[in-house]
Amino acid sequence: MKKFRKVLDGLTTSSPGGTMGSPSSGSAAGTPTAAPTPKEIDIQETLVSENFQMCKTVRHGFPYQPTALAFDPVQKILAIGSRTGGVRILGRPGVDCYCQHESGSAVLQLQFLINEGALVTACADDTLHLWNLRQRRPAVLHSLKFNRERITFCHLPFQSKWLYVGTERGNTHIVNIESFILSGYVIMWNKAIELSTKTHPGPVVHLSDCPKDEGKLLIGFESGMIVQWDLRGKKADFRICYDEAIHSAGWHHEGKQFMCSHSDGSLSMWNLRNTLKPFQVTFPHGKIQKDGRKESCKPILKVEYKTSRSSEPFVIFSGGLSYDKAGRRPTLTIMHGKAITVLEMDYPIVEFMALCETPYNNEVQEPYAVVVLLEKDLIVVDLTQSNYPVCENPYPMDIHESPVTCTAYFADCPPNLIPILYSIGAKHKKTGFSQKEWPIAGGLWTLGCNTYPEIILTGHADGSIKFWDASAITLQMLYKLKTSKAFEKPKPVEGRAADLMEEDPFAVQMVSWCPQSRILCVVGISAHIILYRFSKYDSNTQITSLEVRLQCESEDVISPSDNENNPCFSESGSNSPQTHHHHPASPGSKTPEGNKDTIPCLKVKERMVRVPPGYQAELVIQLLWVDGEPPQQITSLDINSAYGLLAFGNCNGLAVVDCLQKTILLCMSTLDLYGGADPYQRLTRSPRRNRQSTSGLTELSDNQQSIDMERSKSPTSDHVNGHCTSPTSQPSAGKPRVPMGPEGPRLTRRGPGRPPFRKAQSAACMEISLPVSHTEVGYASRRAMLQQFHGVTMYSHDEHHSTPPYSWTDKESRENSFSRSRSSSVSSIDRDTKEAITTLQFGESYGRKNDALPNPCLWVGTSLGVALVIPMSIPADHEERMEVPVTMGPSGTVLMLKGSVLRFGFLDCMGSLIQSPYEVWRDLNGPEDPDRVRKRKLVHFSPSSSQDSCGEGHLAVVCSERQAKVILMPSQSVLFVHNITESSFVLRADVVSVSNSVCLACFCANGHIMTLSLPSLRPLMDVNYLPLTDMRIARTFCFTNGGQALYLSSPTEIQRITYSQEMCDNLQEMLGELFTPIETPEAQNRGFLKGFFGGNSHNFDREELFGEASAGKASRSLAQHIPGQAGMEGMKVAASGVVGDLARARIALDERGQRLGELEDRTALMMNSADVFSKHAHELMLKCKDKKWYQF
């Protein structure tokens, strides 16, 4: 613990972090106020570096790019391998584990050591790994790297410790699972094939032992050759040379016949009594054509041949469809007797596996389900019902149903929120599932004691929003909302309008949710905002629509007189903040698409609509097209239920909407927000050539008068053009749209270097690599990141030396938009970019230095590193609030930071986090009840409510992409400054609660996750966790309370992490047990005759055959053994905790009982032998008793 004391002086703006090369952080417009009386703030910080540790907790969703599948029929757990080297192990809900190979190589095949708590993985780098599953976080015990051969297929017989490994050269090697050492026994390809064969048989594609005799190994080569190898005699029993390539094979459980699938779409059946030709060849999907020939079919990639006691055998295979039927979806075919059922899949089939009652391959299999691994889904087909229904999947495998475009994470939500959302969402669940329970039910998971309600929101490209219950490291979908239902269906368009049309017009770009008031605000990619309120009842409603013209024009030349007559922001108390401007038509100019002026991108439903219970749309706000140019995307949003206000901004300016009165309170350009306190010296913008004389062109210079003129102008509507007028807005509630002023035709200014409207930035296109500049550190990646975030070019004052990526050349810019001026300002104008609103925050604060009491304020952060405070006057009475307009206007307070402002946070003078005020939720559609409270119930967290001992004021935490500051309000004195990074930039920042205290958490583009203490900004943790490789992570990374965070690790998976030491300590108890002690099912009694005539499989001793004593050692250059992290004793160590102790005790008791039973049997045999020997000795003694010595 450490105490920080600081004597505050209102006139002192220096800080412990050193001075900056920017204007003073405490500067404000107007005359400076008198210095307040110095006060002593005593804040006791409790967080230390030992409170933080970075750790991955759990991964949700479908494994990205799956490649392999395995199932343990005794433990009933499933393993899925991926192309990136990941392995997901799934059991009952809550048992979900993710493992990652360090090499990152694709997983080719998976093999469980059935009921042993271990897994073998074969990777594309020709390495075998043995994973220990008897611990909550699996670890690699051994690795074996093949140096000279490529692994193609693996097979591990049940209850065997010898693994068969087939290679690309056609050889078969044998690996001891316990020691992970290669045996000297090798089946060479040239020994397996006939000597007369002149061609190489190809890679090994199949290995399996005969169910009747484990000493016989069936080897399938890609070329079509099949060999049964006698392991004892080290020779081939038979060889089959088939014309078609082989993909897979499957045995009948009696071991007398097997089935193969081929590349021509055929299935061949072979009998061991006659292997000269197959006794049956079928083309399941090949019909006979008119000319008598069979249709050519696609390969059957895999076949499984499973028997049943009560019915005909099951033949299950994938592929085999005819080529002539183009466009057919991937299929899984189930042949049961004469019935053939074809199941069409939504995605290509990666792998499938039949689930059987017994793990023994020499018993009747009795398949009850088929697990089908698709490219983007996992399904289980119930084989016990004739219509083969699908079992309901309990895992969150549909996160990627539509591409995820944004995420939000809320910890410690109101406890009654999850049951309500679940009850409403359950009404819309899909039906038609099998009545059988999900068969993958292995492992053990219990609800931990340190759990609290957590909710994750995901926004998607189709406009849907999903609410997920993320409590106790699980994930379950609660409720799904479709935002597209608020709009009419877009009509198909052609020509240039089709190029400008967004591929996913309803894609969710940003969400703002208040769990206490249950108000949801959604920002879409078509520059629209939807406000939702929650109700448990359905209702008939008409959605109110507001249309805002937050777009900069490029028409008028503003003179000093114009600047004097037009104020830079609306007066406080003005009901209509927007200003009407008259734009005379320019000679010869016209609008190519007049129908694209002053209209929104989407059309809101104007009729009364019936909405079901749940989130119901109340208000839609849309930005308008101007001059045939689409509106810029919204870059920031905040909503406050207590104030009833919604604020949003983009690269053109800021707008504030009254959600209760459905009116627009403020619509203002970014420059107008400064008033007279603009801290930057901005370049003048060249006027249009037809609006000025020649002398004006030649004498244009960067004088102070033009700079003063520039302060009152709005940002540009084009990324490059330097002309603008103030933005306007227009409310609309089902009424005809009325232009804000008479406007003539205008020239569309789209240059050849500027791309169509966000066409290449569709929300569904998430795989975009982020360029990183090594010469200009922190610039190239930041600009590229912002373009992918918002589709706009933003400007930061530490990046003013570079040209925007979508800029025109100087020649094109001057010819299209500027006069041919020889002034030095022209090239500067071409590089001019926009100042965007990057973050917004409502809260109780002080708008000016001389404020005595806190008032409702809106904090505004821009891409230039400027933080502005806009005070508001909100009527306190409920009736007045619904009638009297809210007044607001810029105060002139300007605070400066390095880089774009990302986040605001507020602390009281005791160091506690001040939450934003909110309105307690009330159902507006509930039944009429005289006792029901109709007035709004507000909960305020005033900065001065708990500060009687330490005086008035509060601390404002402001974080930008490079710097963090703690500022005392209202004096605006900077207490602490910390430069977060110089070589990179911050992507996400948030003030979060950890271990009953608060800190500032930051995620940088270079992969570092940092935490800073508050208010001293002392570094507590800096971990190089995850380098930013694509925009998906930047879009979806978010922090929450409790020391947790999440991001989209792949297009289909959500990765949750923690940076809290306390949660890392409790994580072992929260995770599920993968291995549980289960007795292995006993093999069926084969009977005397079957045992006598059925072969000598039980006499087969693999240890004697493959051991070092008989087979010798393998070549050292063939494979290299690599010890794993878990060590040699890892397999003997069970999971930690009470469950692990019980498991060890039970296993020890089972082993002890087994040994005692064996000892008892051996003792009985010895006693029996002793009795027999005693009897024979007695008989011999009696026989020889009377004989003489010479009679012997």
Side-chain angles (χ1 to χ4, degrees), residues 65 239 289 422 474 739 792 830 864 944 1055 1148 1173 1189:
Q65 295 179 332
R239 299 178 177 91
Q289 298 176 346
Y422 181 79
T474 61
V792 298
D830 293 339
L864 282 180
S944 59
Q1055 177 68 59
F1173 178 77
W1189 62 271

Side-chain angles (χ1 to χ4, degrees), residues 181-203:
I181 296 177
L182 208 60
S183 170
Y185 192 109
V186 183
I187 305 174
M188 304 298 292
W189 68 270
N190 53 356
K191 299 289 183 65
I193 66 174
E194 295 182 0
L195 297 177
S196 60
T197 305
K198 297 181 180 180
T199 59
H200 191 278

